[in-house]
Amino acid sequence: MPELPEVETVRAGLAPALTNAVVTAVDVLDARSFKRHPGGVEDFKATIIGSKILAVVRRGKFLWMPLELPANRSGDYKLAMVGHLGMSGQMLLRTPGFADDKLTRVIIQARTADGQIVEMRFVDQRLFGSLAIDELVPTKDGMPGGYSNGIGETATGQSAWWLNLIPASAAHITRDPLDVNFDEKAVLTRFKTKNSGIKRVLLDQQTLSGIGNIYADESLWRSQLHYDQPAASLSTAKAKELLEHVREILAKAVTEGGTSFDEQYKNVNGESGYFAVSLNAYGMTGMPCKRCGTEIKRENWMNRGSHFCPKCQKLKI
DNA sequence: CAATAACCCTGGGTGC
DNA sequence: TGCACCCAGGGTTATT
């Protein structure tokens, strides 16, 4: 499941090829990938073909590409293509004619800054992912919308027009823990208002973003917290420790290129990530806990699985 | 407003 | 070989 490290790996892979590339064609193999685009397939094509991609930006699990529209229809529009990988989305970079990738839903062809033609193939088995064009709006805190290479400065040192903007459809997503403008105080305060279990809160993208089932389980294992421990019951010190572990785990996973647990996550070259070898809880059902040797348990929780050590992650009332 | 439930969606893998 | 069934869950929307 693509979470922050996987999405960042994709972003970092796309950015060098697509920054300043101009979209030349869009091939839609499955219109359902556009269910988040209100205007439908034709409107998407009409807007993006001929537009220049100015950057590839990420906040949490959301990706977007600010667009420079052709001169004849620029107007006042500040638009971006927004992509979400959902459960099983991939964005592969291929050259035209490269062997077909199974389950490709959309192919966006572009001419790169140095004149090469590339294809961004959007592959998505479960169709929870999506592509859309959306309006960019100012961020709530006035800081950059998300992470991108070169922090959006032009050659003259001025900020790019899109820097402090975010797609309207992602504006409610809070900053992720690797964002330089991550507001830890606000997150700690919010924890104190939440009676839900800490895992539910970690997965709430409106509290902090980028964490999914894998990194939630890993962070809780590391912090020796039970998934149902009420968030408000954590001391500030414990909550800070948890956030520190979240940051360390996410950062390490980014350097490993993310976690490939099955065929559903690949980088832009179709390669798997290496973080799976570092997992201590997720997917380790029946294996000995690396801290105490007790068998890792998996419990059904919120329509998914929760992996934890029953000995070192006890619920404390 | 907070918490929870329902819903969307498919193909790879498994067991018979 | 075929087929029914199970499984992975992120994010939005509806409901309590």
Side-chain angles (χ1 to χ4, degrees), chain A residues 173-221:
Chain A
I173 300 295
T174 51
R175 294 184 181 280
D176 61 68
L178 299 187
D179 191 320
V180 292
N181 294 303
F182 178 68
D183 189 347
E184 177 164 308
K185 268 188 190 162
V187 174
L188 291 169
T189 303
R190 202 166 149 97
F191 276 11
K192 283 291 177 193
T193 72
K194 295 279 187 183
N195 293 312
S196 306
I198 183 63
K199 180 167 174 180
R200 192 188 272 275
V201 175
L202 283 179
L203 294 176
D204 175 9
Q205 309 295 302
Q206 298 184 59
T207 297
L208 72 173
S209 68
I211 303 173
N213 209 32
I214 296 176
Y215 298 104
D217 282 0
E218 290 303 305
S219 302
L220 293 172
W221 180 87

mmCIF file of all heavy atoms in Angstrom, chain A residues 173-221:
data_model
loop_
_atom_site.group_PDB
_atom_site.id
_atom_site.type_symbol
_atom_site.label_atom_id
_atom_site.label_comp_id
_atom_site.label_asym_id
_atom_site.label_seq_id
_atom_site.Cartn_x
_atom_site.Cartn_y
_atom_site.Cartn_z
ATOM 1 N N ILE A 173 -5.863 18.048 3.969
ATOM 2 C CA ILE A 173 -4.849 17.100 4.427
ATOM 3 C C ILE A 173 -3.768 17.879 5.173
ATOM 4 O O ILE A 173 -3.211 18.842 4.643
ATOM 5 C CB ILE A 173 -4.227 16.358 3.215
ATOM 6 C CG1 ILE A 173 -5.306 15.587 2.437
ATOM 7 C CG2 ILE A 173 -3.087 15.454 3.660
ATOM 8 C CD1 ILE A 173 -5.960 14.458 3.194
ATOM 9 N N THR A 174 -3.476 17.461 6.411
ATOM 10 C CA THR A 174 -2.466 18.201 7.172
ATOM 11 C C THR A 174 -1.068 17.812 6.695
ATOM 12 O O THR A 174 -0.893 16.847 5.958
ATOM 13 C CB THR A 174 -2.563 17.897 8.683
ATOM 14 O OG1 THR A 174 -2.572 16.480 8.854
ATOM 15 C CG2 THR A 174 -3.821 18.495 9.274
ATOM 16 N N ARG A 175 -0.106 18.574 7.131
ATOM 17 C CA ARG A 175 1.277 18.308 6.732
ATOM 18 C C ARG A 175 1.755 16.978 7.296
ATOM 19 O O ARG A 175 1.324 16.553 8.361
ATOM 20 C CB ARG A 175 2.198 19.438 7.208
ATOM 21 C CG ARG A 175 1.888 20.752 6.515
ATOM 22 C CD ARG A 175 2.847 21.844 6.903
ATOM 23 N NE ARG A 175 2.482 23.077 6.210
ATOM 24 C CZ ARG A 175 2.808 23.327 4.947
ATOM 25 N NH1 ARG A 175 3.524 22.470 4.261
ATOM 26 N NH2 ARG A 175 2.423 24.441 4.378
ATOM 27 N N ASP A 176 2.670 16.347 6.569
ATOM 28 C CA ASP A 176 3.199 15.069 7.028
ATOM 29 C C ASP A 176 4.414 15.298 7.922
ATOM 30 O O ASP A 176 5.001 16.386 7.926
ATOM 31 C CB ASP A 176 3.524 14.177 5.824
ATOM 32 C CG ASP A 176 4.565 14.797 4.918
ATOM 33 O OD1 ASP A 176 5.734 14.919 5.335
ATOM 34 O OD2 ASP A 176 4.220 15.173 3.774
ATOM 35 N N PRO A 177 4.813 14.273 8.669
ATOM 36 C CA PRO A 177 5.878 14.443 9.677
ATOM 37 C C PRO A 177 7.253 14.751 9.075
ATOM 38 O O PRO A 177 8.155 15.158 9.808
ATOM 39 C CB PRO A 177 5.908 13.101 10.401
ATOM 40 C CG PRO A 177 4.601 12.455 10.095
ATOM 41 C CD PRO A 177 4.194 12.948 8.751
ATOM 42 N N LEU A 178 7.439 14.562 7.778
ATOM 43 C CA LEU A 178 8.730 14.893 7.171
ATOM 44 C C LEU A 178 8.731 16.287 6.544
ATOM 45 O O LEU A 178 9.746 16.744 6.030
ATOM 46 C CB LEU A 178 9.105 13.839 6.111
ATOM 47 C CG LEU A 178 9.274 12.405 6.624
ATOM 48 C CD1 LEU A 178 9.820 11.505 5.513
ATOM 49 C CD2 LEU A 178 10.179 12.350 7.852
ATOM 50 N N ASP A 179 7.591 16.957 6.599
ATOM 51 C CA ASP A 179 7.461 18.315 6.061
ATOM 52 C C ASP A 179 8.207 19.279 6.988
ATOM 53 O O ASP A 179 8.025 19.221 8.211
ATOM 54 C CB ASP A 179 5.968 18.660 5.988
ATOM 55 C CG ASP A 179 5.675 19.935 5.215
ATOM 56 O OD1 ASP A 179 6.435 20.916 5.368
ATOM 57 O OD2 ASP A 179 4.686 19.950 4.476
ATOM 58 N N VAL A 180 9.025 20.159 6.433
ATOM 59 C CA VAL A 180 9.778 21.103 7.284
ATOM 60 C C VAL A 180 8.836 22.034 8.047
ATOM 61 O O VAL A 180 9.216 22.600 9.071
ATOM 62 C CB VAL A 180 10.794 21.952 6.480
ATOM 63 C CG1 VAL A 180 11.920 21.085 5.956
ATOM 64 C CG2 VAL A 180 10.115 22.705 5.347
ATOM 65 N N ASN A 181 7.617 22.179 7.565
ATOM 66 C CA ASN A 181 6.645 23.029 8.250
ATOM 67 C C ASN A 181 5.627 22.228 9.067
ATOM 68 O O ASN A 181 4.575 22.748 9.428
ATOM 69 C CB ASN A 181 5.935 23.933 7.237
ATOM 70 C CG ASN A 181 6.900 24.928 6.628
ATOM 71 O OD1 ASN A 181 7.545 25.692 7.333
ATOM 72 N ND2 ASN A 181 7.035 24.899 5.311
ATOM 73 N N PHE A 182 5.960 20.962 9.316
ATOM 74 C CA PHE A 182 5.099 20.100 10.155
ATOM 75 C C PHE A 182 4.900 20.771 11.505
ATOM 76 O O PHE A 182 5.867 21.212 12.134
ATOM 77 C CB PHE A 182 5.791 18.750 10.333
ATOM 78 C CG PHE A 182 5.050 17.773 11.215
ATOM 79 C CD1 PHE A 182 3.841 17.229 10.813
ATOM 80 C CD2 PHE A 182 5.592 17.372 12.430
ATOM 81 C CE1 PHE A 182 3.174 16.310 11.616
ATOM 82 C CE2 PHE A 182 4.935 16.444 13.240
ATOM 83 C CZ PHE A 182 3.717 15.915 12.831
ATOM 84 N N ASP A 183 3.641 20.867 11.926
ATOM 85 C CA ASP A 183 3.321 21.553 13.174
ATOM 86 C C ASP A 183 3.128 20.522 14.295
ATOM 87 O O ASP A 183 2.033 20.091 14.578
ATOM 88 C CB ASP A 183 2.043 22.384 12.970
ATOM 89 C CG ASP A 183 1.768 23.308 14.159
ATOM 90 O OD1 ASP A 183 2.408 23.121 15.225
ATOM 91 O OD2 ASP A 183 0.919 24.192 14.016
ATOM 92 N N GLU A 184 4.250 20.158 14.916
ATOM 93 C CA GLU A 184 4.184 19.110 15.940
ATOM 94 C C GLU A 184 3.320 19.511 17.135
ATOM 95 O O GLU A 184 2.574 18.698 17.674
ATOM 96 C CB GLU A 184 5.595 18.743 16.431
ATOM 97 C CG GLU A 184 5.552 17.705 17.549
ATOM 98 C CD GLU A 184 6.889 17.026 17.801
ATOM 99 O OE1 GLU A 184 7.486 16.519 16.840
ATOM 100 O OE2 GLU A 184 7.319 17.015 18.962
ATOM 101 N N LYS A 185 3.413 20.767 17.515
ATOM 102 C CA LYS A 185 2.601 21.225 18.659
ATOM 103 C C LYS A 185 1.121 21.023 18.402
ATOM 104 O O LYS A 185 0.380 20.568 19.274
ATOM 105 C CB LYS A 185 2.873 22.719 18.932
ATOM 106 C CG LYS A 185 3.978 22.944 19.947
ATOM 107 C CD LYS A 185 4.054 24.427 20.326
ATOM 108 C CE LYS A 185 5.311 24.667 21.156
ATOM 109 N NZ LYS A 185 5.691 26.084 21.201
ATOM 110 N N ALA A 186 0.703 21.367 17.192
ATOM 111 C CA ALA A 186 -0.720 21.225 16.854
ATOM 112 C C ALA A 186 -1.137 19.758 16.898
ATOM 113 O O ALA A 186 -2.237 19.430 17.347
ATOM 114 C CB ALA A 186 -0.988 21.815 15.467
ATOM 115 N N VAL A 187 -0.248 18.893 16.441
ATOM 116 C CA VAL A 187 -0.571 17.465 16.437
ATOM 117 C C VAL A 187 -0.681 16.941 17.868
ATOM 118 O O VAL A 187 -1.609 16.204 18.211
ATOM 119 C CB VAL A 187 0.487 16.670 15.635
ATOM 120 C CG1 VAL A 187 0.232 15.178 15.744
ATOM 121 C CG2 VAL A 187 0.478 17.109 14.170
ATOM 122 N N LEU A 188 0.259 17.331 18.716
ATOM 123 C CA LEU A 188 0.227 16.891 20.114
ATOM 124 C C LEU A 188 -1.045 17.382 20.806
ATOM 125 O O LEU A 188 -1.671 16.646 21.580
ATOM 126 C CB LEU A 188 1.460 17.415 20.860
ATOM 127 C CG LEU A 188 2.790 16.780 20.436
ATOM 128 C CD1 LEU A 188 3.977 17.549 21.038
ATOM 129 C CD2 LEU A 188 2.853 15.317 20.841
ATOM 130 N N THR A 189 -1.426 18.614 20.495
ATOM 131 C CA THR A 189 -2.656 19.159 21.075
ATOM 132 C C THR A 189 -3.865 18.349 20.619
ATOM 133 O O THR A 189 -4.765 18.042 21.399
ATOM 134 C CB THR A 189 -2.830 20.633 20.651
ATOM 135 O OG1 THR A 189 -1.673 21.351 21.070
ATOM 136 C CG2 THR A 189 -4.068 21.241 21.273
ATOM 137 N N ARG A 190 -3.861 18.006 19.341
ATOM 138 C CA ARG A 190 -4.993 17.247 18.786
ATOM 139 C C ARG A 190 -5.065 15.844 19.394
ATOM 140 O O ARG A 190 -6.152 15.328 19.619
ATOM 141 C CB ARG A 190 -4.851 17.186 17.265
ATOM 142 C CG ARG A 190 -6.154 16.914 16.548
ATOM 143 C CD ARG A 190 -6.019 17.202 15.064
ATOM 144 N NE ARG A 190 -6.868 16.338 14.267
ATOM 145 C CZ ARG A 190 -8.061 16.682 13.806
ATOM 146 N NH1 ARG A 190 -8.541 17.882 14.074
ATOM 147 N NH2 ARG A 190 -8.775 15.844 13.078
ATOM 148 N N PHE A 191 -3.913 15.249 19.628
ATOM 149 C CA PHE A 191 -3.910 13.936 20.294
ATOM 150 C C PHE A 191 -4.718 13.994 21.594
ATOM 151 O O PHE A 191 -5.455 13.084 21.933
ATOM 152 C CB PHE A 191 -2.474 13.511 20.640
ATOM 153 C CG PHE A 191 -1.722 12.851 19.511
ATOM 154 C CD1 PHE A 191 -2.208 12.863 18.207
ATOM 155 C CD2 PHE A 191 -0.515 12.202 19.757
ATOM 156 C CE1 PHE A 191 -1.502 12.246 17.175
ATOM 157 C CE2 PHE A 191 0.195 11.581 18.735
ATOM 158 C CZ PHE A 191 -0.296 11.606 17.440
ATOM 159 N N LYS A 192 -4.512 15.088 22.320
ATOM 160 C CA LYS A 192 -5.152 15.236 23.628
ATOM 161 C C LYS A 192 -6.672 15.307 23.531
ATOM 162 O O LYS A 192 -7.381 15.110 24.527
ATOM 163 C CB LYS A 192 -4.619 16.500 24.328
ATOM 164 C CG LYS A 192 -3.225 16.308 24.925
ATOM 165 C CD LYS A 192 -3.273 15.349 26.110
ATOM 166 C CE LYS A 192 -1.890 15.076 26.692
ATOM 167 N NZ LYS A 192 -1.923 13.925 27.624
ATOM 168 N N THR A 193 -7.185 15.630 22.339
ATOM 169 C CA THR A 193 -8.643 15.725 22.176
ATOM 170 C C THR A 193 -9.249 14.440 21.637
ATOM 171 O O THR A 193 -10.459 14.353 21.456
ATOM 172 C CB THR A 193 -9.011 16.859 21.201
ATOM 173 O OG1 THR A 193 -8.650 16.456 19.868
ATOM 174 C CG2 THR A 193 -8.298 18.149 21.555
ATOM 175 N N LYS A 194 -8.398 13.463 21.352
ATOM 176 C CA LYS A 194 -8.888 12.246 20.699
ATOM 177 C C LYS A 194 -9.000 11.086 21.673
ATOM 178 O O LYS A 194 -8.002 10.647 22.242
ATOM 179 C CB LYS A 194 -7.926 11.848 19.561
ATOM 180 C CG LYS A 194 -7.868 12.857 18.424
ATOM 181 C CD LYS A 194 -9.037 12.648 17.494
ATOM 182 C CE LYS A 194 -8.888 13.536 16.267
ATOM 183 N NZ LYS A 194 -10.045 13.399 15.371
ATOM 184 N N ASN A 195 -10.220 10.580 21.800
ATOM 185 C CA ASN A 195 -10.409 9.407 22.654
ATOM 186 C C ASN A 195 -10.265 8.111 21.878
ATOM 187 O O ASN A 195 -10.243 7.034 22.460
ATOM 188 C CB ASN A 195 -11.779 9.480 23.323
ATOM 189 C CG ASN A 195 -11.855 10.631 24.312
ATOM 190 O OD1 ASN A 195 -10.956 10.807 25.136
ATOM 191 N ND2 ASN A 195 -12.880 11.436 24.206
ATOM 192 N N SER A 196 -10.168 8.217 20.564
ATOM 193 C CA SER A 196 -9.988 7.015 19.738
ATOM 194 C C SER A 196 -8.626 6.407 20.010
ATOM 195 O O SER A 196 -7.724 7.060 20.535
ATOM 196 C CB SER A 196 -10.058 7.378 18.261
ATOM 197 O OG SER A 196 -11.235 8.059 17.973
ATOM 198 N N GLY A 197 -8.497 5.149 19.590
ATOM 199 C CA GLY A 197 -7.218 4.479 19.703
ATOM 200 C C GLY A 197 -6.146 5.210 18.910
ATOM 201 O O GLY A 197 -6.429 5.838 17.889
ATOM 202 N N ILE A 198 -4.905 5.117 19.391
ATOM 203 C CA ILE A 198 -3.809 5.867 18.778
ATOM 204 C C ILE A 198 -3.586 5.485 17.312
ATOM 205 O O ILE A 198 -3.226 6.325 16.487
ATOM 206 C CB ILE A 198 -2.506 5.706 19.605
ATOM 207 C CG1 ILE A 198 -1.380 6.536 19.017
ATOM 208 C CG2 ILE A 198 -2.087 4.237 19.713
ATOM 209 C CD1 ILE A 198 -1.621 8.027 19.027
ATOM 210 N N LYS A 199 -3.864 4.230 16.977
ATOM 211 C CA LYS A 199 -3.639 3.854 15.579
ATOM 212 C C LYS A 199 -4.629 4.554 14.652
ATOM 213 O O LYS A 199 -4.265 5.045 13.593
ATOM 214 C CB LYS A 199 -3.726 2.332 15.397
ATOM 215 C CG LYS A 199 -3.496 1.923 13.943
ATOM 216 C CD LYS A 199 -3.267 0.447 13.777
ATOM 217 C CE LYS A 199 -3.203 0.079 12.295
ATOM 218 N NZ LYS A 199 -2.991 -1.346 12.069
ATOM 219 N N ARG A 200 -5.871 4.605 15.085
ATOM 220 C CA ARG A 200 -6.882 5.306 14.301
ATOM 221 C C ARG A 200 -6.457 6.753 14.080
ATOM 222 O O ARG A 200 -6.634 7.319 12.999
ATOM 223 C CB ARG A 200 -8.225 5.243 15.032
ATOM 224 C CG ARG A 200 -9.409 5.675 14.224
ATOM 225 C CD ARG A 200 -10.636 5.753 15.135
ATOM 226 N NE ARG A 200 -11.356 4.493 15.235
ATOM 227 C CZ ARG A 200 -12.286 4.109 14.363
ATOM 228 N NH1 ARG A 200 -12.564 4.852 13.324
ATOM 229 N NH2 ARG A 200 -12.915 2.965 14.534
ATOM 230 N N VAL A 201 -5.894 7.351 15.118
ATOM 231 C CA VAL A 201 -5.474 8.755 15.030
ATOM 232 C C VAL A 201 -4.262 8.906 14.102
ATOM 233 O O VAL A 201 -4.170 9.856 13.326
ATOM 234 C CB VAL A 201 -5.194 9.314 16.437
ATOM 235 C CG1 VAL A 201 -4.646 10.734 16.367
ATOM 236 C CG2 VAL A 201 -6.466 9.279 17.286
ATOM 237 N N LEU A 202 -3.334 7.950 14.173
ATOM 238 C CA LEU A 202 -2.165 8.006 13.285
ATOM 239 C C LEU A 202 -2.586 7.909 11.814
ATOM 240 O O LEU A 202 -1.926 8.448 10.929
ATOM 241 C CB LEU A 202 -1.197 6.861 13.591
ATOM 242 C CG LEU A 202 -0.305 6.968 14.818
ATOM 243 C CD1 LEU A 202 0.565 5.718 14.948
ATOM 244 C CD2 LEU A 202 0.567 8.217 14.782
ATOM 245 N N LEU A 203 -3.695 7.200 11.582
ATOM 246 C CA LEU A 203 -4.153 7.012 10.207
ATOM 247 C C LEU A 203 -5.040 8.158 9.727
ATOM 248 O O LEU A 203 -5.405 8.211 8.554
ATOM 249 C CB LEU A 203 -4.925 5.689 10.088
ATOM 250 C CG LEU A 203 -4.111 4.420 10.310
ATOM 251 C CD1 LEU A 203 -5.008 3.191 10.264
ATOM 252 C CD2 LEU A 203 -3.011 4.283 9.265
ATOM 253 N N ASP A 204 -5.384 9.062 10.650
ATOM 254 C CA ASP A 204 -6.267 10.180 10.294
ATOM 255 C C ASP A 204 -5.450 11.263 9.583
ATOM 256 O O ASP A 204 -4.661 11.971 10.196
ATOM 257 C CB ASP A 204 -6.915 10.732 11.572
ATOM 258 C CG ASP A 204 -7.743 11.969 11.296
ATOM 259 O OD1 ASP A 204 -7.954 12.315 10.114
ATOM 260 O OD2 ASP A 204 -8.183 12.611 12.280
ATOM 261 N N GLN A 205 -5.671 11.390 8.285
ATOM 262 C CA GLN A 205 -4.866 12.309 7.470
ATOM 263 C C GLN A 205 -5.152 13.769 7.786
ATOM 264 O O GLN A 205 -4.471 14.662 7.275
ATOM 265 C CB GLN A 205 -5.089 12.038 5.981
ATOM 266 C CG GLN A 205 -4.911 10.575 5.599
ATOM 267 C CD GLN A 205 -3.497 10.061 5.779
ATOM 268 O OE1 GLN A 205 -2.551 10.598 5.200
ATOM 269 N NE2 GLN A 205 -3.335 9.015 6.595
ATOM 270 N N GLN A 206 -6.176 14.006 8.623
ATOM 271 C CA GLN A 206 -6.459 15.377 9.030
ATOM 272 C C GLN A 206 -5.837 15.690 10.387
ATOM 273 O O GLN A 206 -6.007 16.782 10.925
ATOM 274 C CB GLN A 206 -7.969 15.627 9.032
ATOM 275 C CG GLN A 206 -8.543 15.463 7.623
ATOM 276 C CD GLN A 206 -10.012 15.782 7.514
ATOM 277 O OE1 GLN A 206 -10.430 16.890 7.821
ATOM 278 N NE2 GLN A 206 -10.797 14.810 7.095
ATOM 279 N N THR A 207 -5.108 14.716 10.925
ATOM 280 C CA THR A 207 -4.341 14.963 12.146
ATOM 281 C C THR A 207 -2.863 15.070 11.780
ATOM 282 O O THR A 207 -2.183 16.022 12.126
ATOM 283 C CB THR A 207 -4.560 13.838 13.173
ATOM 284 O OG1 THR A 207 -5.938 13.828 13.555
ATOM 285 C CG2 THR A 207 -3.704 14.041 14.407
ATOM 286 N N LEU A 208 -2.369 14.053 11.078
ATOM 287 C CA LEU A 208 -1.062 14.124 10.438
ATOM 288 C C LEU A 208 -1.146 13.187 9.238
ATOM 289 O O LEU A 208 -1.906 12.229 9.267
ATOM 290 C CB LEU A 208 0.103 13.755 11.377
ATOM 291 C CG LEU A 208 0.311 12.310 11.804
ATOM 292 C CD1 LEU A 208 1.636 12.213 12.579
ATOM 293 C CD2 LEU A 208 -0.807 11.795 12.691
ATOM 294 N N SER A 209 -0.417 13.461 8.184
ATOM 295 C CA SER A 209 -0.640 12.706 6.954
ATOM 296 C C SER A 209 0.543 11.822 6.602
ATOM 297 O O SER A 209 1.632 11.934 7.169
ATOM 298 C CB SER A 209 -0.940 13.667 5.802
ATOM 299 O OG SER A 209 0.208 14.418 5.478
ATOM 300 N N GLY A 210 0.292 10.919 5.682
ATOM 301 C CA GLY A 210 1.363 10.100 5.131
ATOM 302 C C GLY A 210 1.448 8.698 5.696
ATOM 303 O O GLY A 210 2.108 7.841 5.117
ATOM 304 N N ILE A 211 0.793 8.452 6.845
ATOM 305 C CA ILE A 211 0.896 7.149 7.489
ATOM 306 C C ILE A 211 -0.258 6.248 7.068
ATOM 307 O O ILE A 211 -1.405 6.679 7.045
ATOM 308 C CB ILE A 211 0.880 7.298 9.022
ATOM 309 C CG1 ILE A 211 2.013 8.211 9.481
ATOM 310 C CG2 ILE A 211 0.988 5.925 9.701
ATOM 311 C CD1 ILE A 211 1.971 8.536 10.953
ATOM 312 N N GLY A 212 0.046 5.021 6.715
ATOM 313 C CA GLY A 212 -0.952 3.999 6.425
ATOM 314 C C GLY A 212 -0.732 2.817 7.347
ATOM 315 O O GLY A 212 -0.026 2.915 8.351
ATOM 316 N N ASN A 213 -1.313 1.689 6.977
ATOM 317 C CA ASN A 213 -1.310 0.553 7.884
ATOM 318 C C ASN A 213 0.095 0.038 8.220
ATOM 319 O O ASN A 213 0.382 -0.316 9.356
ATOM 320 C CB ASN A 213 -2.151 -0.581 7.293
ATOM 321 C CG ASN A 213 -2.779 -1.442 8.360
ATOM 322 O OD1 ASN A 213 -3.106 -0.957 9.438
ATOM 323 N ND2 ASN A 213 -2.914 -2.721 8.089
ATOM 324 N N ILE A 214 0.974 0.007 7.238
ATOM 325 C CA ILE A 214 2.318 -0.535 7.479
ATOM 326 C C ILE A 214 3.081 0.316 8.491
ATOM 327 O O ILE A 214 3.554 -0.179 9.520
ATOM 328 C CB ILE A 214 3.137 -0.598 6.173
ATOM 329 C CG1 ILE A 214 2.488 -1.575 5.175
ATOM 330 C CG2 ILE A 214 4.588 -1.006 6.459
ATOM 331 C CD1 ILE A 214 3.185 -1.623 3.821
ATOM 332 N N TYR A 215 3.173 1.608 8.215
ATOM 333 C CA TYR A 215 4.007 2.461 9.067
ATOM 334 C C TYR A 215 3.338 2.769 10.402
ATOM 335 O O TYR A 215 4.027 3.086 11.380
ATOM 336 C CB TYR A 215 4.433 3.724 8.305
ATOM 337 C CG TYR A 215 5.265 3.335 7.094
ATOM 338 C CD1 TYR A 215 4.736 3.367 5.813
ATOM 339 C CD2 TYR A 215 6.554 2.838 7.255
ATOM 340 C CE1 TYR A 215 5.478 2.945 4.716
ATOM 341 C CE2 TYR A 215 7.301 2.409 6.177
ATOM 342 C CZ TYR A 215 6.757 2.464 4.906
ATOM 343 O OH TYR A 215 7.483 2.039 3.823
ATOM 344 N N ALA A 216 2.006 2.649 10.463
ATOM 345 C CA ALA A 216 1.330 2.766 11.761
ATOM 346 C C ALA A 216 1.755 1.587 12.645
ATOM 347 O O ALA A 216 2.177 1.775 13.791
ATOM 348 C CB ALA A 216 -0.183 2.786 11.565
ATOM 349 N N ASP A 217 1.664 0.380 12.101
ATOM 350 C CA ASP A 217 2.039 -0.797 12.889
ATOM 351 C C ASP A 217 3.516 -0.747 13.297
ATOM 352 O O ASP A 217 3.870 -1.101 14.426
ATOM 353 C CB ASP A 217 1.775 -2.086 12.087
ATOM 354 C CG ASP A 217 0.294 -2.469 12.091
ATOM 355 O OD1 ASP A 217 -0.499 -1.734 12.709
ATOM 356 O OD2 ASP A 217 -0.056 -3.492 11.479
ATOM 357 N N GLU A 218 4.360 -0.318 12.385
ATOM 358 C CA GLU A 218 5.793 -0.250 12.685
ATOM 359 C C GLU A 218 6.099 0.783 13.773
ATOM 360 O O GLU A 218 6.892 0.532 14.685
ATOM 361 C CB GLU A 218 6.584 0.079 11.409
ATOM 362 C CG GLU A 218 6.591 -1.062 10.401
ATOM 363 C CD GLU A 218 7.136 -2.363 10.983
ATOM 364 O OE1 GLU A 218 8.259 -2.358 11.511
ATOM 365 O OE2 GLU A 218 6.412 -3.386 10.936
ATOM 366 N N SER A 219 5.455 1.938 13.671
ATOM 367 C CA SER A 219 5.707 3.003 14.657
ATOM 368 C C SER A 219 5.207 2.601 16.037
ATOM 369 O O SER A 219 5.852 2.894 17.049
ATOM 370 C CB SER A 219 5.003 4.296 14.213
ATOM 371 O OG SER A 219 5.459 4.683 12.936
ATOM 372 N N LEU A 220 4.058 1.916 16.071
ATOM 373 C CA LEU A 220 3.505 1.507 17.368
ATOM 374 C C LEU A 220 4.351 0.402 17.990
ATOM 375 O O LEU A 220 4.552 0.378 19.208
ATOM 376 C CB LEU A 220 2.045 1.057 17.192
ATOM 377 C CG LEU A 220 1.085 2.190 16.804
ATOM 378 C CD1 LEU A 220 -0.292 1.639 16.453
ATOM 379 C CD2 LEU A 220 0.970 3.213 17.934
ATOM 380 N N TRP A 221 4.859 -0.491 17.157
ATOM 381 C CA TRP A 221 5.738 -1.548 17.676
ATOM 382 C C TRP A 221 6.974 -0.920 18.307
ATOM 383 O O TRP A 221 7.356 -1.228 19.432
ATOM 384 C CB TRP A 221 6.162 -2.504 16.546
ATOM 385 C CG TRP A 221 7.064 -3.612 17.036
ATOM 386 C CD1 TRP A 221 6.676 -4.815 17.552
ATOM 387 C CD2 TRP A 221 8.504 -3.596 17.076
ATOM 388 N NE1 TRP A 221 7.780 -5.557 17.911
ATOM 389 C CE2 TRP A 221 8.916 -4.834 17.632
ATOM 390 C CE3 TRP A 221 9.482 -2.674 16.703
ATOM 391 C CZ2 TRP A 221 10.267 -5.161 17.820
ATOM 392 C CZ3 TRP A 221 10.822 -2.989 16.894
ATOM 393 C CH2 TRP A 221 11.209 -4.238 17.444
#
